[in-house]
Amino acid sequence: MAGSRWMWLVCALPLWAGAQTTDAPVTVTVLGHGQTRQVQNLAKADLQQALPGTSALKILEKLPGVSFQSADPLGSYEWSTRISVRGFSQGQLGFTLDGIPLGNMSYGNNNGLHISRAISAENIRQVDLSQGTGAVGTPSTSNLGGTVQFFSLDPAEQAGATASATLGSSSTRRLFGRIDTGPLAAGGRAYLSLTRQRADKWKGTGPQDLDQFNSRYVQQFGEHRLSAFWNLSDRSENDYQDLSLDMQRRLGWDWDNYAPDWQRAVDAAHGVFAGGVNNLDDAYYTARGLRKDRLGGVTLNLNGAAAAGTLTFYHHGNDGQGHWYTPYQASSAAVPISLRTSEYEIDRNGLLGELDLEYATHAPAIGFWFERSHHHLTRNYYAVSGPEDTNRFMRDPFLTGFEQDFKTRVAQFYVRDAVRLLDGRLKLEAGAKWTRSVIDATSINAARAAGRLVAAKPFLPQVGATYILGGDDEVFASVARNLRAFEAGIYGQFSQDQAAFDANAGKLRPENSVSADLGYRFRRGALSGSVSAYRAQFNDRLVNVAACAGVVGCPNTVINVGKVDTHGVEAAVIWALARQWSWFNGITWNDSRYRSDYVDNGQTVHVAGKQVVDAPRRMWSSELAWDDGRRFARLAAKYTGERFYTYMNDAGTPGFTVLNLSAGWRLGAQLGLREASVRLHLTNLLNRRYFATLGSNQFVASDPTGTFATLLTGAPRQFALSLSGTY
């Protein structure tokens, strides 16, 4: 880092040396206490001690059952971010922000957006993870498995300002500022925040930039409450080159796209290779993703003596382009490369409502969710004469590969009840939802499928129980059935050509699952934790099988691979070693396997008994934390076991362990601030080289030679220093 950056640390050291320690105890919590499902949460303290800008998803990786991977140290580079829970992939989980659906948060999303764009990380107060299944009223059409719920900070009770600055490896600069109004004349409170992040890729060339505006207003009317927010995001990310096992062996871990060497990219497009490159797909000139989002919502909470109601309206608008220089389509006779784009538009509006009642020992509730979404998708090609400024939305293509329009309507109703018996020691919960999703797809140029798909179930039940054994010890159990609707957009069922879609449409059934949990939570003085055994049966699993290199953009092959059986055991334990020390440990054993073979183009693919792709069987995490009230430090380790990216399990990546270290000082009142702090972060402390992301270009049936490029390497050791203050 530059000398001026080190000066920040030098100035902070005397303050740290003179700080007085306090006898601050480490708190011990019972994970998911009182829940009938396996539920764990990360509170504001966990989020605040992470490197500023770190995705809230990445912070979940220490919890049992969770596999999170990304090619960048912050976990926010969307092409690479992947989260799976108990063998269910990201596209089979549900995500919400303050109850508002975020879709499945996949790249090229058709019905949502990633949490890193939805809200600045500094404005999140809590993240709740339900590993097995979400609450029956979760507004999601993809939560076959668990759910992740994000909750934002309310405006502060007191007027003030918060600011932070972060400098780090790869020219990382992040500035965050928030102004809290405190009480306003009308009795409400509000905040406005701005985030500006600039960073270079850790290998290759190109920036990964983000600008965000967040605002929130809260108004209390006696027992009632009105809240509203409006968030804007502008993200521009240069992509890393997808690798294959063979490419890593030939070209090394740090291999990337050709930029800024335009001539080498042109030579490669002509079939003239150099430096170990031997084919067109070893590298492209460069690639980039652009996303502009607008997300807002208004919520009214009405609270009475025996009833409470909530009503939320939300809107999400998105414009996006994914740029990829391709040697498979020439711009002209002189230039063998063109700029290929995937262009996205989203316009969705929704309404959520719930009525909660209370009488005697019962707490019934009814609710609904409606959403109408319009998604437009285009694949275009733009002529170039040399390197273009791709930090802009391209216009006037010379060729359109395909163009589709999707209109999706979702309706969901649910009812649930909770009752306490045996003097409150036994809690029983039961509920059911009715869900229906209708997609009408139009193909503008017939290069991709058009038609209608309906996914509906009139009865998706969920039951659960918690029994208090004594003190803080309890057992819990739950069983739930869920449905995943068909998917619009670039990766869904309409990504096939019309003939393949027509041949399969009548046979398609929406994916569905039955999940069961049985667990035990305990607290014994300084020790607390949970142990859970689970089983899930996944029916009519639909998979995309890649037919060519990602840049070529062939129509997908969507195949029903039948049943998947999952069972496993997971445990989490927190040990308060002393008043200022705590030690968290999580362990997961998961067995997710395909139960039947499938047929592709008349050929039987023998996957019965094979492990599900990108689903590690073994994981463990450990985090040792020290906090004396003024100073704190954390050393965290995460092991991820072997994973496969082929359905036949003939190609995969070995297990690996990554260590992260952070330390900080709460400096108290300094330089006119109410509170100031400094934090140091080292990610991938031992500089381990490993494959993080699997399936960046989907998965394939078999890859015995290791030549399919669908892997991304994890970031090497990175350093960051952050200063923050509250006025």
Side-chain angles (χ1 to χ4, degrees):
M1 296 179 66
S4 60
R5 300 178 190 174
W6 285 107
M7 286 298 294
W8 290 20
L9 175 58
V10 172
C11 292
L13 286 175
L15 296 172
W16 170 74
Q20 297 297 312
T21 62
T22 62
D23 193 23
V26 172
T27 58
V28 179
T29 59
V30 179
L31 301 170
H33 180 72
Q35 297 283 348
T36 61
R37 297 165 286 116
Q38 176 76 309
V39 177
Q40 293 162 352
N41 65 69
L42 296 177
K44 186 178 177 181
D46 294 283
L47 301 169
Q48 285 181 327
Q49 293 190 25
L51 175 61
T54 299
S55 167
L57 281 181
K58 180 176 175 59
I59 300 172
L60 289 172
E61 69 180 345
K62 74 176 184 179
L63 297 180
V66 178
S67 172
F68 177 85
Q69 305 298 336
S70 180
D72 73 310
L74 296 177
S76 61
Y77 168 47
E78 291 187 34
W79 177 255
S80 70
T81 55
R82 298 291 188 278
I83 185 171
S84 66
V85 180
R86 294 185 175 179
F88 286 94
S89 67
Q90 183 167 320
Q92 295 149 357
L93 305 175
F95 303 91
T96 65
L97 171 62
D98 292 333
I100 292 173
L102 300 177
N104 61 24
M105 297 204 314
S106 63
Y107 191 86
N109 204 322
N110 70 90
N111 67 347
L113 74 166
H114 203 273
I115 186 60
S116 59
R117 283 184 278 137
I119 188 171
S120 291
E122 292 86 345
N123 292 327
I124 298 176
R125 66 172 171 84
Q126 183 173 314
V127 186
D128 289 355
L129 168 68
S130 177
Q131 281 98 328
T133 187
V136 70
T138 302
S140 171
T141 58
S142 58
N143 63 318
L144 280 177
T147 60
V148 183
Q149 297 175 288
F150 305 95
F151 299 93
S152 64
L153 284 169
D154 269 352
E157 299 281 354
Q158 183 179 358
T162 300
S164 66
T166 302
L167 296 173
S169 304
S170 306
S171 300
T172 297
R173 296 94 65 202
R174 181 180 175 90
L175 297 174
F176 170 81
R178 186 178 67 236
I179 297 175
D180 287 88
T181 65
L184 298 171
R189 292 173 284 126
Y191 72 68
L192 305 174
S193 79
L194 291 173
T195 303
R196 181 177 177 84
Q197 182 171 304
R198 297 292 181 267
D200 292 335
K201 293 163 56 180
W202 61 263
K203 67 174 180 177
T205 301
Q208 293 188 314
D209 300 339
L210 172 67
D211 293 307
Q212 286 181 292
F213 167 79
N214 292 172
S215 63
R216 186 167 180 82
Y217 175 81
V218 172
Q219 173 78 57
Q220 203 76 28
F221 301 95
E223 297 298 318
H224 313 305
R225 169 185 163 108
L226 176 70
S227 61
F229 75 92
W230 181 246
N231 295 344
L232 304 174
S233 173
D234 187 352
R235 179 182 286 277
S236 175
E237 295 180 325
N238 262 66
D239 292 307
Y240 294 94
Q241 167 66 25
D242 304 296
L243 299 182
S244 67
L245 297 175
D246 173 65
M247 289 167 62
Q248 187 279 319
R249 290 190 290 264
R250 285 186 291 113
L251 303 168
W253 290 104
D254 292 335
W255 178 249
D256 201 51
N257 286 312
Y258 293 128
D261 193 341
W262 174 255
Q263 188 57 50
R264 189 177 185 186
V266 171
D267 290 343
H270 284 304
V272 180
F273 306 119
V277 175
N278 63 22
N279 66 81
L280 282 179
D281 299 306
D282 273 352
Y284 312 109
Y285 178 66
T286 192
R288 183 192 291 265
L290 303 175
R291 299 290 188 273
K292 295 181 183 292
D293 289 276
R294 307 161 298 280
L295 179 68
V298 179
T299 298
L300 177 64
N301 299 99
L302 301 174
N303 298 291
T310 302
L311 189 66
T312 298
F313 169 79
Y314 63 89
H315 168 76
H316 172 220
N318 165 268
D319 296 292
Q321 283 192 357
H323 298 164
W324 216 343
Y325 282 86
T326 174
Y328 290 96
Q329 177 64 58
S331 291
S332 64
V335 182
I337 297 172
S338 65
L339 183 63
R340 196 210 80 172
T341 65
S342 299
E343 303 182 13
Y344 313 93
E345 295 176 19
I346 298 175
D347 182 11
R348 63 187 181 109
N349 298 282
L351 188 66
L352 300 154
E354 181 172 291
L355 176 64
D356 295 274
L357 304 173
E358 187 173 336
Y359 69 94
T361 59
H362 289 265
I366 58 173
F368 65 86
W369 169 42
F370 300 119
E371 181 177 281
R372 296 179 66 90
S373 176
H374 178 209
H375 173 54
H376 192 78
L377 171 65
T378 311
R379 169 67 47 76
N380 282 326
Y381 295 84
Y382 295 85
V384 297
S385 57
E388 289 279 341
D389 174 17
T390 57
N391 192 22
R392 63 186 178 91
F393 282 73
M394 307 299 291
R395 297 290 184 264
D396 301 320
F398 74 88
L399 176 67
T400 295
F402 61 83
E403 185 175 2
Q404 291 173 289
D405 205 63
F406 302 94
K407 293 182 179 177
T408 304
R409 302 183 304 280
V410 176
Q412 177 178 291
F413 299 92
Y414 63 91
V415 58
R416 69 170 187 269
D417 190 16
V419 58
R420 289 193 175 273
L421 304 171
L422 304 178
D423 296 323
R425 295 168 65 89
L426 175 65
K427 181 173 75 170
L428 301 176
E429 289 185 345
K433 65 182 176 182
W434 173 90
T435 186
R436 177 180 171 87
S437 172
V438 181
I439 304 173
D440 288 302
T442 303
S443 183
I444 310 303
N445 62 3
R448 290 290 191 275
R452 167 178 282 200
L453 287 176
V454 179
K457 283 287 183 181
F459 184 65
L460 294 169
Q462 183 176 127
V463 296
T466 301
Y467 181 73
I468 299 174
L469 299 173
D472 289 319
D473 288 12
E474 63 183 24
V475 292
F476 64 92
S478 68
V479 179
R481 185 173 186 182
N482 279 303
L483 172 80
R484 182 183 184 228
F486 297 116
E487 188 177 355
I490 199 166
Y491 299 120
Q493 289 72 40
F494 295 97
S495 62
Q496 305 174 93
D497 61 34
Q498 193 66 54
F501 177 84
D502 290 343
N504 294 323
K507 308 172 188 175
L508 284 179
R509 294 182 178 87
E511 297 175 333
N512 62 91
S513 66
V514 177
S515 301
D517 247 338
L518 177 64
Y520 168 57
R521 301 185 184 103
F522 64 90
R523 178 169 178 173
R524 291 287 186 277
L527 198 67
S528 70
S530 68
V531 180
S532 176
Y534 58 86
R535 183 175 179 86
Q537 186 177 78
F538 188 170
N539 300 307
D540 295 308
R541 179 158 184 165
L542 302 176
V543 300
N544 281 313
V545 180
C548 62
V551 74
V552 180
C554 303
N556 286 331
T557 300
V558 179
I559 297 171
N560 188 327
V561 297
K563 294 182 178 181
V564 173
D565 277 352
T566 292
H567 58 277
V569 178
E570 60 193 26
V573 178
I574 303 173
W575 184 13
L577 300 168
R579 279 184 73 81
Q580 299 168 359
W581 290 87
S582 69
W583 188 16
F584 174 91
N585 286 278
I587 189 168
T588 301
W589 178 78
N590 174 277
D591 189 38
S592 296
R593 295 180 181 272
Y594 303 107
R595 302 307 303 167
S596 56
D597 299 330
Y598 69 85
V599 178
D600 183 10
N601 289 324
Q603 299 294 318
T604 299
V605 182
H606 298 283
V607 299
K610 302 296 185 182
Q611 189 172 328
V612 169
V613 293
D614 197 21
R617 296 189 71 189
R618 296 175 180 87
M619 294 183 290
W620 62 260
S621 61
S622 185
E623 182 179 270
L624 183 64
W626 170 75
D627 192 331
D628 71 357
R630 296 295 296 273
R631 295 167 294 187
F632 59 88
R634 292 191 181 194
L635 177 63
K638 176 64 181 279
Y639 169 77
T640 301
E642 180 185 32
R643 295 168 294 156
F644 297 100
Y645 66 86
T646 63
Y647 298 112
M648 292 286 292
N649 290 179
D650 60 2
T653 59
F656 61 92
T657 303
V658 174
L659 272 68
N660 299 311
L661 175 66
S662 63
W665 300 263
R666 302 180 186 96
L667 305 174
Q670 299 286 340
L671 303 175
L673 300 174
R674 291 204 307 265
E675 180 66 46
S677 65
V678 58
R679 285 173 284 174
L680 300 171
H681 300 267
L682 276 170
T683 58
N684 195 357
L685 181 64
L686 302 182
N687 205 30
R688 178 69 187 271
R689 308 313 300 266
Y690 64 98
F691 285 112
T693 305
L694 273 65
S696 57
N697 278 311
Q698 305 296 312
F699 302 99
V700 289
S702 178
D703 186 31
T705 59
T707 56
F708 183 62
T710 193
L711 311 172
L712 289 164
T713 54
R717 182 168 50 236
Q718 302 277 284
F719 170 83
L721 171 67
S722 178
L723 292 177
S724 63
T726 301
Y727 174 75

